[in-house]
Amino acid sequence: MSHSVLSSSRPDISTKIPALEIRGLAKSFPTGGLFSRESVRALHGVDLTIGRGEIVALVGESGSGKSTLARCVARLERPSSGEILIDGVDVLKRDRFQASRAFRSQLQMVFQDPFGSLNPAHRIEHFLQRSLAIHGKGGGSGEETQRRLEGLMTTVGLQADMLNSYPHELSGGQRQRVAIARALAVEPQVILADEPTSMLDVSVRIGVLNLMRKLRDEQGISMLYITHDLASARYLADRTAVMFAGELVEEGESLDLLANPAHPYTQLLVSAVPDPARAGSYDPVRRAELRQAVMASTKCEFEGDPNQACSAEAPVRHLVGDPEDRHWVRCHLYQPWAAAAGHALAGEPTQPSRPASNAQEEASA
Amino acid sequence: MTISQVSFGSHEPVLDVKDLTVKYIGDTRSTTAVDRVSFSIGTGEVFGLAGESGCGKSTIANSIMRLLKDPAKIAGGSISFGGKDVLAMSPEELRRFRWQDVAMVFQSAMNSLNPVLTIGEQIVDIFTTHAGYPRRESLRRAGELLELVRIDPARLKSYPHQLSGGMRQRAVIAMAVALKPSLLILDEPTTALDVVVQQEIMAQIKELQRELGFSVLFITHDMSLMVELSHRMAVMYGGRIVETAKAQDVYATPRHPYTQALMGAFPPLTGPRVPLTGLPDGVKFRDIPDLSEAAPGHFVAPVGPDASAVDTALLEGAAR
């Protein structure tokens, strides 16, 4: 935490303790009336580790639980159970009731909507100055604060004279850069970015991704990048984790995972991304098979493998390919989502409709 | 299915837009949203219009449907549909023109269904109002229509909230093709949907288009999606078309720097990870000149120190 925003010294990444570790995180939301005991399981048993200076992408469709995970980790939502470790310390135990300032200085968020996350009545200077002041990073003197403000602007690729601008005078991309500068002012170890580019004009999206990459390279900040866009996850993240119905189903080194997806849900997602290079690849028969495999799988590719036992009761993780790629897939025989939260696949016409899926959709609507 | 399939590129354009200019007129100043835009769409052709929010692509769609409301005014140019002047149509002609000749699927169309009527009632309404069929006949056709987009006709009795987003979007597309229009305008038809559903909807549109042979004006900012679906496409920037060619040509060799930036904004799913550069914040193209033919059938607005005012230093900065 001692490195300055301006310096490019990388923190020691050889240390074994991960920057962020999530263990068995679960969250359920009550549904129905005041006295109802029913609930929707939004997250269940999520284990995810982000090493120092590592960018991990979390992908999945809307309703898969990605944002709930982000909100739990950012402590905007209280998880039902599980542990969140930053630097090996369980922050849920340390600050039991709400996020402490110490926690906020370790972990910062960048939200989806840069139009909503900056108060229109203040100048850009105000947002950054406040971050510095609250977390005691102002440097003592007015001159020093000013120097840091300008440094922050330069770091995120904005002109220092924009400090005097109001948010409405900036484009969406520039506003998102301000939001990133505000997170940086605190000198966090981890940044949670929840769909940071999905509301930006397409031509400036890549610039924001490049900025995130640069911050990781130069300052060693770890990031959890939450997105529904597989191509951008592949572009930015070292590792990618795939979420389905509130659980992780596959994880691995990004290039390897998207080249050799092992879980039918990952295969489904990868096959659906529009890509002119493989136009006309849509095959309704194959699609129906994949859906069937996702919703009601009866076989697992690792069945009969003496080294990797299958289980229908526990979420066994099978290792895929080279262990160097840290690529695992959850055993297909494990089918917890018969009673899990609704998801985009449930009510589709190629899928035989089941009574449970309607209830789930209404609950998630 | 009476309209036979016609290969694209027919010389008889269904829609011909010439020098269309649309202004938003305010009390003190007016803004030109669409500036001297020309394009034509052949029979059975899928024409794509790409560009970012605010570039004027939806304004063009609304001009074709004559749906512009004050303060928007068509300040110049012409729109002709099958030889008829759309801008000179009387209210009664317009009524027939809309939905029977040209139908439109709006952005987030799935939220445009009436929540208190069943899907069936809303489709039957199209047939009884526009085609004058009796109710029983309309109901039968409504069932057929749902089958066309692979929805169980039993869903006629469902209310919109009982369908998933993808199914609602299918229903809206079915309603758009109900009267077999010769042109279908799709304005960001899959923006709010997940990729898996998006791909299925796009496949559905392609299939319907092959079967019914209508022309399509496809509006989106997603270049990958556009190149997959369109035969020809145009890229818009600031109310002007900056490049137009066959979709595959634009994909293979984008010539305008703005088109290149748009193409570069979508990282590939295969191959090595190469650094991409989008358009740097603050780069603006001004006074975009008329298109000139850069290669056979490939028209590009010239860019350069003389031709169009663009900060080339900033563009070079993007390479960093």
Side-chain angles (χ1 to χ4, degrees):
Chain A
M1 295 306 296
S2 58
H3 66 276
S4 151
V5 174
L6 296 172
S7 78
S8 60
S9 64
R10 287 186 77 147
D12 184 12
I13 55 169
S14 63
T15 151
K16 285 280 176 245
I17 301 170
L20 174 69
E21 190 176 357
I22 299 165
R23 287 187 195 155
L25 199 70
K27 172 75 190 171
S28 47
F29 293 100
T31 58
L34 184 58
F35 302 105
S36 164
R37 288 180 169 221
E38 288 177 16
S39 64
V40 167
R41 198 170 70 177
L43 286 179
H44 182 71
V46 175
D47 296 311
L48 186 67
T49 302
I50 301 175
R52 281 161 202 279
E54 192 177 37
I55 303 179
V56 175
L58 186 65
V59 300
E61 290 188 293
S62 46
S64 63
K66 312 185 294 284
S67 289
T68 306
L69 179 84
R71 291 179 63 82
C72 283
V73 174
R75 306 210 53 191
L76 300 172
E77 204 84 68
R78 184 197 286 266
S80 307
S81 63
E83 295 171 9
I84 297 168
L85 283 73
I86 290 184
D87 271 345
V89 177
D90 185 352
V91 293
L92 292 176
K93 286 216 179 75
R94 186 182 67 190
D95 330 317
R96 285 189 58 183
F97 298 103
Q98 58 175 22
S100 65
R101 193 170 296 167
F103 171 77
R104 291 264 175 257
S105 74
Q106 290 174 310
L107 185 141
Q108 281 281 314
M109 278 197 89
V110 175
F111 294 96
Q112 180 175 8
D113 183 3
F115 301 89
S117 63
L118 298 175
N119 185 338
H122 291 291
R123 294 177 198 273
I124 302 306
E125 189 172 23
H126 169 87
F127 306 113
L128 305 184
Q129 214 163 28
R130 231 177 113 70
S131 272
L132 290 174
I134 289 175
H135 292 277
K137 310 274 174 164
S141 68
E143 271 168 40
E144 177 60 19
T145 307
Q146 188 60 28
R147 206 177 60 76
R148 291 195 181 183
L149 289 177
E150 286 168 12
L152 281 170
M153 294 295 273
T154 316
T155 308
V156 297
L158 293 176
Q159 308 285 334
D161 56 19
M162 273 186 192
L163 282 169
N164 289 321
S165 307
Y166 284 98
H168 72 264
E169 297 171 293
L170 272 52
S171 72
Q174 289 168 335
R175 267 186 257 200
Q176 198 59 294
R177 285 170 192 266
V178 171
I180 292 172
R182 176 168 62 179
L184 280 181
V186 172
E187 299 176 24
Q189 311 176 37
V190 184
I191 290 182
L192 285 187
D194 189 359
E195 305 260 17
T197 61
S198 64
M199 292 201 46
L200 305 182
D201 271 342
V202 283
S203 61
V204 300
R205 285 182 192 177
I206 219 79
V208 171
L209 293 183
N210 287 343
L211 170 63
M212 289 168 65
R213 157 91 46 78
K214 188 186 96 168
L215 294 175
R216 189 279 302 269
D217 291 347
E218 291 178 359
Q219 302 188 18
I221 297 174
S222 313
M223 295 187 196
L224 180 62
Y225 172 55
I226 294 172
T227 183
H228 63 269
D229 179 5
L230 269 74
S232 73
R234 184 184 188 271
Y235 180 72
L236 178 68
D238 304 302
R239 284 190 300 132
T240 297
V242 182
M243 188 162 233
F244 176 66
E247 304 190 29
L248 295 184
V249 293
E250 189 168 2
E251 184 185 333
E253 196 277 321
S254 299
L255 297 191
D256 179 55
L257 179 102
L258 293 176
N260 311 301
H263 196 276
Y265 180 65
T266 319
Q267 293 169 1
L268 191 63
L269 283 184
V270 171
S271 74
V273 176
D275 185 356
R278 46 163 208 203
S281 59
Y282 176 69
D283 177 356
V285 179
R286 171 90 183 117
R287 173 60 49 90
E289 284 170 8
L290 280 177
R291 275 185 191 286
Q292 186 61 26
V294 172
M295 298 307 294
S297 159
T298 49
K299 61 176 198 294
C300 175
E301 281 181 26
F302 293 89
E303 251 176 316
D305 187 333
N307 300 322
Q308 306 204 40
C310 286
S311 165
E313 280 79 39
V316 176
R317 292 178 169 191
H318 293 306
L319 211 59
V320 182
D322 190 346
E324 287 245 317
D325 290 327
R326 294 186 284 171
H327 185 168
W328 62 263
V329 60
R330 198 182 57 186
C331 183
H332 302 357
L333 295 183
Y334 179 64
Q335 293 286 327
W337 48 74
H343 40 74
L345 293 177
E348 282 305 301
T350 42
Q351 184 62 33
S353 62
R354 42 184 88 190
S357 66
N358 270 342
Q360 286 162 16
E361 273 183 23
E362 277 159 33
S364 64
Chain B
M1 276 125 278
T2 49
I3 309 161
S4 63
Q5 193 198 331
V6 186
S7 65
F8 85 91
S10 145
H11 289 293
E12 194 59 52
V14 172
L15 180 79
D16 197 13
V17 175
K18 274 211 177 72
D19 287 327
L20 181 70
T21 301
V22 181
K23 288 190 170 160
Y24 286 85
I25 296 169
D27 291 336
T28 51
R29 66 189 190 108
S30 57
T31 313
T32 308
V34 177
D35 190 8
R36 291 161 287 153
V37 164
S38 303
F39 63 92
S40 66
I41 305 178
T43 310
E45 187 183 28
V46 180
F47 184 79
L49 208 50
E52 294 176 294
S53 33
C55 76
K57 49 195 199 309
S58 294
T59 305
I60 289 180
N62 287 331
S63 311
I64 296 168
M65 292 290 275
R66 290 275 309 273
L67 289 172
L68 288 180
K69 289 210 176 73
D70 278 343
K73 281 267 178 342
I74 295 178
S78 66
I79 300 173
S80 83
F81 179 85
K84 285 174 284 180
D85 185 356
V86 175
L87 300 183
M89 282 182 181
S90 66
E92 185 48 39
E93 281 174 315
L94 264 184
R95 202 177 128 77
R96 261 176 288 134
F97 169 72
R98 291 182 189 148
W99 229 255
Q100 282 188 15
D101 288 338
V102 182
M104 184 162 169
V105 174
F106 293 90
Q107 241 171 64
S108 71
M110 52 188 192
N111 298 327
S112 65
L113 291 166
N114 188 334
V116 298
L117 293 179
T118 63
I119 300 293
E121 283 171 83
Q122 300 186 47
I123 301 180
V124 163
D125 188 48
I126 299 174
F127 287 117
T128 51
T129 316
H130 288 273
Y133 293 131
R135 199 180 149 73
R136 181 179 293 264
E137 169 73 3
S138 302
L139 207 56
R140 190 183 62 76
R141 283 174 183 261
E144 282 177 8
L145 209 52
L146 283 192
E147 275 180 334
L148 195 65
V149 292
R150 304 247 168 73
I151 299 177
D152 184 356
R155 290 290 199 165
L156 282 173
K157 293 200 180 73
S158 301
Y159 287 91
H161 75 269
Q162 293 171 312
L163 305 181
S164 69
M167 280 167 98
R168 263 181 279 170
Q169 191 69 337
R170 276 168 215 266
V172 168
I173 290 168
M175 289 164 78
V177 301
L179 301 176
K180 307 221 165 70
S182 32
L183 176 68
L184 182 63
I185 301 177
L186 301 169
D187 190 357
E188 308 253 10
T190 57
T191 305
L193 301 171
D194 279 314
V195 279
V196 176
V197 182
Q198 164 175 291
Q199 194 189 34
E200 283 161 8
I201 299 271
M202 295 316 290
Q204 187 92 73
I205 291 170
K206 260 188 227 170
E207 201 184 305
L208 282 175
Q209 200 259 340
R210 265 198 304 274
E211 210 167 302
L212 304 176
F214 50 78
S215 311
V216 176
L217 174 60
F218 180 42
I219 296 174
T220 183
H221 63 258
D222 187 331
M223 297 296 263
S224 313
L225 209 57
M226 170 144 292
V227 172
E228 271 197 9
L229 187 79
S230 310
H231 301 126
R232 280 192 306 130
M233 60 180 283
V235 179
M236 283 192 74
Y237 179 90
R240 294 283 280 165
I241 289 182
V242 297
E243 183 160 0
T244 177
K246 279 186 184 160
Q248 282 301 331
D249 292 348
V250 176
Y251 171 63
T253 47
R255 288 166 188 267
H256 195 275
Y258 179 68
T259 316
Q260 289 164 357
L262 275 189
M263 286 291 176
F266 294 91
L269 260 191
T270 47
R273 220 188 242 144
V274 282
L276 297 172
T277 50
L279 205 62
D281 283 325
V283 165
K284 292 252 187 328
F285 300 93
R286 278 176 301 266
D287 306 328
I288 296 162
D290 287 336
L291 300 175
S292 68
E293 195 160 11
H298 196 142
F299 296 86
V300 185
V303 182
D306 316 322
S308 121
V310 57
D311 197 335
T312 40
L314 263 175
L315 269 182
E316 278 156 19
R320 268 189 279 118

